[in-house]
Amino acid sequence: MAQVLEFKLPDLGEGLTEAEIVRWLVQIGDVVAVDQPVVEVETAKAMVEVPCPYGGVVTARFGEEGTELPVGAPLLTVAVGEPASHTEPEGSGNVLVGYGTSDAPARRRRLRPAPMAADGAGTRTAGNGTPVPGAAAGRNGTPASLVAAAVPVTALHTEGPVPVISPLVRRLAREGGVDLRQLAGSGPDGLILRADVEGVLRARTAQGNGWAEAPTAAAPAVPAVSAPASPAPHAAGVRVPLKGVRGAVADKLSRSRREIPDATCWVDADATELMRARAAMNAAGSPRISLLALLARICTAALARFPELNSFVDTEAREIVRLDHVHLGFAAQTERGLVVPVVRDAHARDAEALSAEFARLTEAARTGTLTPGELTGGTFTLNNYGVFGVDGSTPIINHPEAAMLGVGRIVPKPWVHEGELAVRQVVQLSLTFDHRVCDGGTAGGFLRYVADCVEQPAVLLRTL
């Protein structure tokens, strides 16, 4: 007799609590395989295809396209064939947050983790004496809502389910060719996190880059602000829900304005020589170097001189945290709204590598395929609002970062050059910064260095 299993919307990571159904990929009556994508949902940060952990026939779908569902709400039900005697229904072996896939909910047996003991070096060991890698002794502060059942793991997951935090982790591992069974998780009880998979991928490409990204604590919940009284029922106008990307942008910008005492300084710069340098680089052959890549290279050099601006404020600890790596975000306007993709390790990339990564992330932003990992973790933002035909702006800092460099349009203007009036390519540069991390002298020094590099690109040779 077939057994009907219910698949619920899993925790997609990054602290997201709901998602909107964009497109169903299966119909009622369709046969699905284990880990086959069944629905495309839009979170506040990305479009995600959600795979089903069961194989069988779809018997019901919950929610029409455009419906917003909370994490944990039923997505669909699947009828699976009766398992063989003394066996359990087959699942994907990958555990979603709060949803084991190796057993049917109606017949699931609770697994008790083996008792853990700490040795003298602080390594946790299971009851059979096997060390649990990646877990410090006493690390048990993960809320129960994140992990439904603790599964004891060993250094290699040779059998049984692999503890995985979300479908995004599995997709990242699959696309990167990472065998999750050979990966020891750093989460509680060996849970494999996105950071674990990204660490393996970075280790492959960075070839010994000597920094490690520290885990960041989840942002505290923002107290709800009472809404103003609703207008009279007869008031004219169109109401647009603040949800999805628009809602996420509104929340983040509002929080930035509440928490960050920002200030802005700006300067005009003669970009004629920078434009000539770029033209010379592109005349030498492909690949072409983008202007944004050159500005990013200038930013990373300036942050090396003024590390105060590559930081964030830990309000709970009342500390300024200076970072030794630059994950450079850049503002990109899309049909879905404003997004800020992040170039990882921008400080370790040359102009060619930066151009390629900017092009890749920009295309992903336009098609709506950016992953949450590509939209988070930035340490500094470069905002080229000149593409909108404007000269200047006082942008809002991308919380929790400490600064943002704005670049206006580059236009011909009268300029005194070598004592004579000439027509030059002029750009306005602005720096909005968190006044808690530095004073005006540091901000002014950073902006002046950026302007000097724009006017005389040879200045960069001192740091190459």
Side-chain angles (χ1 to χ4, degrees):
M1 180 178 178
Q3 185 179 20
V4 177
L5 305 181
E6 184 179 76
F7 176 47
K8 300 178 181 180
L9 177 65
D11 182 348
L12 299 173
E14 302 295 339
L16 303 176
T17 58
E18 67 275 327
E20 180 181 334
I21 297 175
V22 175
R23 181 168 58 100
W24 283 104
L25 305 179
V26 296
Q27 304 293 330
I28 295 176
D30 287 355
V31 177
V32 296
V34 172
D35 283 345
Q36 175 181 333
V38 293
V39 65
E40 187 178 67
V41 300
E42 179 181 19
T43 70
K45 297 179 178 179
M47 302 273 279
V48 180
E49 289 185 350
V50 180
C52 179
Y54 310 121
V57 179
V58 177
T59 58
R61 301 187 317 190
F62 299 95
E64 300 297 327
E65 294 179 355
T67 303
E68 191 168 82
L69 298 178
V71 169
L75 266 180
L76 50 75
T77 56
V78 179
V80 300
E82 184 179 11
S85 60
H86 306 294
T87 62
E88 298 177 348
E90 181 182 359
S92 68
N94 294 324
V95 180
L96 305 181
V97 175
Y99 309 94
T101 67
S102 61
D103 200 358
R107 300 178 57 186
R108 181 173 299 143
R109 293 176 298 175
R110 185 177 301 276
L111 297 178
R112 295 183 179 273
M116 297 291 179
D119 59 18
T123 302
R124 297 203 306 177
T125 59
N128 59 3
T130 305
V132 180
R139 183 178 177 180
N140 56 3
T142 300
S145 61
L146 290 182
V147 184
V151 180
V153 296
T154 58
L156 298 177
H157 310 287
T158 56
E159 59 182 14
V162 179
V164 180
I165 193 170
S166 77
L168 297 179
V169 176
R170 290 187 289 150
R171 186 176 75 173
L172 183 64
R174 183 170 62 251
E175 293 176 351
V178 177
D179 185 357
L180 292 175
R181 293 188 177 274
Q182 303 298 322
L183 184 60
S186 63
D189 300 307
L191 192 68
I192 297 175
L193 309 178
R194 177 168 60 86
D196 299 325
V197 179
E198 288 181 340
V200 174
L201 298 177
R202 284 197 298 265
R204 290 180 180 177
T205 57
Q207 297 296 327
N209 195 356
W211 63 268
E213 182 176 358
T216 56
V222 180
V225 180
S226 58
S230 299
H234 61 274
V238 177
R239 291 178 176 268
V240 180
L242 271 177
K243 64 179 184 178
V245 173
R246 186 74 263 161
V249 170
D251 293 340
K252 193 159 193 176
L253 296 184
S254 297
R255 183 179 182 186
S256 179
R257 275 292 191 227
R258 285 194 303 268
E259 295 185 10
I260 299 178
D262 58 0
T264 302
C265 53
W266 56 89
V267 66
D268 289 340
D270 180 2
T272 306
E273 296 304 322
L274 180 67
M275 301 300 287
R276 288 176 179 171
R278 175 174 176 259
M281 292 178 190
N282 290 334
S286 60
R288 294 182 61 81
I289 304 300
S290 68
L291 179 61
L292 192 62
L294 295 179
L295 293 170
R297 188 67 188 87
I298 292 173
C299 274
T300 57
L303 289 173
R305 285 179 167 242
F306 301 91
E308 297 92 337
L309 295 169
N310 191 50
S311 62
F312 67 91
V313 175
D314 186 339
T315 54
E316 292 186 0
R318 293 187 61 83
E319 294 176 341
I320 298 172
V321 182
R322 292 182 183 173
L323 305 169
D324 57 359
H325 54 273
V326 179
H327 294 333
L328 187 66
F330 65 100
Q333 190 69 38
T334 71
E335 293 182 357
R336 298 173 60 238
L338 176 68
V339 294
V340 184
V342 177
V343 177
R344 303 279 171 179
D345 304 331
H347 62 290
R349 300 174 185 258
D350 58 19
E352 286 188 1
L354 287 169
S355 294
E357 186 66 357
F358 279 130
R360 183 187 73 82
L361 291 173
T362 299
E363 180 60 25
R366 287 172 179 165
T367 58
T369 57
L370 287 169
T371 66
E374 293 169 332
L375 289 166
T376 55
T379 65
F380 186 92
T381 297
L382 176 60
N383 188 355
N384 181 21
Y385 44 73
V387 296
F388 302 119
V390 298
D391 295 324
S393 173
T394 55
I396 300 175
I397 296 174
N398 188 23
H399 184 280
E401 298 170 14
M404 175 185 294
L405 178 69
V407 182
R409 60 176 181 163
I410 301 177
V411 293
K413 287 185 179 181
W415 189 268
V416 176
H417 177 66
E418 295 181 351
E420 296 183 357
L421 189 63
V423 175
R424 306 286 286 182
Q425 300 292 320
V426 179
V427 61
Q428 184 179 98
L429 306 171
S430 66
L431 177 71
T432 300
F433 64 99
D434 186 340
H435 226 313
R436 296 174 296 178
V437 304
C438 69
D439 295 325
T442 300
F446 174 93
L447 188 59
R448 186 64 258 171
Y449 179 79
V450 170
D452 289 345
C453 291
V454 169
E455 293 185 340
Q456 303 177 42
V459 172
L460 275 179
L461 294 176
R462 295 176 60 90
T463 61
L464 294 181

